[in-house]
Amino acid sequence: MTLNRDHAATTDYEAVAKNVEAFRLAQIAADPKALGALCADDLSYSHSSGFLEDKAAFIANATDGKTEFLSITYKDPTIKIVGPAAIVRFHWLAEMMTGGQKVANSLHILMNWLKQGDDWKLLSRSATKL
């Protein structure tokens, strides 16, 4: 039985890691379909400014073309599986074009992923300025 739990934990860890990377790539691509598939319907997305978005607002704002990500790096990620939840933390480093200017961004990110059926969905995200 312990072997099955370890295997399940490894499988969940790998699934979350895969979705975290897919989320990063979807942000760079500003892909509304991919972002929608990765986010839970009850998403709570909190920016470092304190601005909060639900799923629809996050996807609309992330794909409106006002910001173009040149690069996003998730540095030193950690993933901890806790039952049907996963706590993901990393240092976000990004370069983007916004308002015609190149801007660099450095944040600490906390993501909470929830297992829904066989899929892991982003339930909440919070950013802190560094």
Side-chain angles (χ1 to χ4, degrees), residues 56-124:
F58 162 68
I59 293 170
N61 291 330
T63 61
D64 65 8
K66 292 180 183 175
T67 298
E68 175 190 357
F69 286 106
L70 305 174
S71 68
I72 299 174
T73 302
Y74 290 2
K75 185 178 176 189
D76 301 325
T78 62
I79 298 171
K80 182 176 182 180
I81 305 296
V82 183
I87 301 166
V88 178
R89 295 179 182 270
F90 53 87
H91 181 183
W92 153 293
L93 298 166
E95 287 190 344
M96 62 199 87
M97 294 296 294
T98 185
Q101 295 184 12
K102 189 174 181 180
V103 177
N105 205 336
S106 177
L107 304 169
H108 181 267
I109 303 294
L110 168 63
M111 290 178 151
N112 292 294
W113 292 76
L114 181 64
K115 192 168 189 179
Q116 297 181 328
D118 291 333
D119 297 325
W120 285 90
K121 303 285 185 172
L122 180 63
L123 181 62
S124 66

Side-chain angles (χ1 to χ4, degrees), residues 24-81:
R24 184 185 74 81
L25 295 174
Q27 281 190 298
I28 293 169
D31 182 340
K33 186 176 178 181
L35 290 170
L38 291 163
C39 294
D41 290 341
D42 293 320
L43 176 69
S44 177
Y45 196 94
S46 176
H47 293 268
S48 61
S49 64
F51 182 67
L52 298 175
E53 296 170 316
D54 63 10
K55 180 178 180 175
F58 162 68
I59 293 170
N61 291 330
T63 61
D64 65 8
K66 292 180 183 175
T67 298
E68 175 190 357
F69 286 106
L70 305 174
S71 68
I72 299 174
T73 302
Y74 290 2
K75 185 178 176 189
D76 301 325
T78 62
I79 298 171
K80 182 176 182 180
I81 305 296

